[in-house]
Amino acid sequence: MLTYTVDESTGVIDLIVDGAITRADYEALIPMLDAQIGKHGKLRVIETVRQLGPIDPSLWWEDLKWVVQHRKAIGRAAVVTDHGWIGPITRAAGALLSGEMRVFPESQADTARAWVREG
């Protein structure tokens, strides 16, 4: 399941991944991201990964294409998780982006939020 909230005044997006991500989840997310880019110019995202369930392989490809097309619109992204294997993947993905990405343990979620908001 993929849920999100948006602070419309700052454009900060708070994503929560907790289980499988469906095509419907993904298709609801992309227009919101595009709208925030249009409104604020750059994305500022806090992504909390609690549990990562199955994801349709075609969504990985679609997401990679979207990220490459919008790589200059990523301002600051914090990934909050206690899953150690996500950190190296996040740092590798961050190399493709023009913005900043950092990984925080769940115990530092407030620090992650502050970091994203200050950027």
Side-chain angles (χ1 to χ4, degrees):
M1 173 187 259
L2 178 66
T3 58
Y4 62 85
T5 58
V6 180
D7 180 336
E8 292 292 340
S9 64
T10 64
V12 173
I13 302 160
D14 199 336
L15 293 170
I16 298 175
V17 177
D18 197 5
I21 297 175
T22 67
R23 177 162 293 282
D25 292 335
Y26 184 78
E27 289 177 350
L29 176 67
I30 294 303
M32 181 276 299
L33 294 175
D34 290 337
Q36 292 305 310
I37 292 169
K39 185 174 181 180
H40 297 282
K42 297 259 184 192
L43 291 176
R44 294 189 294 155
V45 179
I46 302 150
E47 181 177 2
T48 302
V49 181
R50 294 184 179 142
Q51 193 65 32
L52 189 58
I55 301 171
D56 180 336
S58 67
L59 293 179
W60 286 107
W61 178 243
E62 286 180 43
D63 191 50
L64 179 61
K65 290 189 305 186
W66 187 91
V67 168
V68 168
Q69 290 171 348
H70 296 85
R71 68 187 171 277
K72 292 182 180 177
I74 310 294
R76 212 170 239 203
V79 176
V80 178
T81 187
D82 285 338
H83 299 286
W85 61 272
I86 292 177
I89 293 170
T90 299
R91 286 185 282 282
L96 299 172
L97 308 174
S98 63
E100 300 173 80
M101 286 188 85
R102 287 182 56 189
V103 179
F104 297 83
E106 285 193 51
S107 64
Q108 294 181 9
D110 290 339
T111 303
R113 282 183 176 76
W115 179 76
V116 167
R117 289 182 186 285
E118 75 185 24

